[in-house]
Amino acid sequence: MRNSSILLAAALVAAAPLATAQTKSSTKTPHCYDVQVERPKEVKDEHKIAGTAIGAVAGGLLGNQIGGGSGKKIATVAGAVGGGYAGRKVQENQQNKTETVTERRCD
């Protein structure tokens, strides 16, 4: 009986490091890393009003420099319409750009 008690005690002592090793592996620290992510830029003027207005004014001023009489009025209006369209497209292209940001992720 005494030998079995000694064997049982020895087995418990030998198993103790295994129990603590299993506990340490279950509480592993998270692995964190940085990732470069592309995302759309924030749109501040969704309806592109600023680009349209600036383009219309610039086009109207340029159109006003052309022609004389009623032709000047037509050129001004045509310049404003064309400039407005061009300004809207320029702003649209600027708003469709993306930006690269760094995000921190952990497993």
Side-chain angles (χ1 to χ4, degrees):
M1 175 115 173
R2 184 175 167 126
N3 286 340
S4 63
S5 298
I6 293 173
L7 288 174
L8 178 62
L12 289 174
V13 169
L18 293 175
T20 56
Q22 290 174 353
T23 308
K24 287 181 183 176
S25 66
S26 64
T27 58
K28 76 176 196 180
T29 58
H31 170 70
C32 296
Y33 53 94
D34 292 335
V35 177
Q36 297 290 325
V37 179
E38 278 194 30
R39 56 172 70 154
K41 284 188 175 182
E42 181 183 345
V43 176
K44 295 180 179 130
D45 184 7
E46 187 175 321
H47 301 290
K48 301 166 199 70
I49 294 170
T52 305
I54 292 169
V57 169
L61 289 173
L62 288 173
N64 193 33
Q65 302 299 316
I66 300 171
S70 62
K72 189 173 205 155
K73 291 178 185 175
I74 293 171
T76 302
V77 170
V81 170
Y85 178 77
R88 182 179 182 85
K89 287 299 180 181
V90 168
Q91 185 174 1
E92 184 178 307
N93 288 337
Q94 291 298 314
Q95 288 179 349
N96 288 337
K97 290 186 177 180
T98 59
E99 61 186 350
T100 303
V101 294
T102 303
E103 287 185 357
R104 186 104 175 130
R105 294 186 181 170
C106 297
D107 295 335

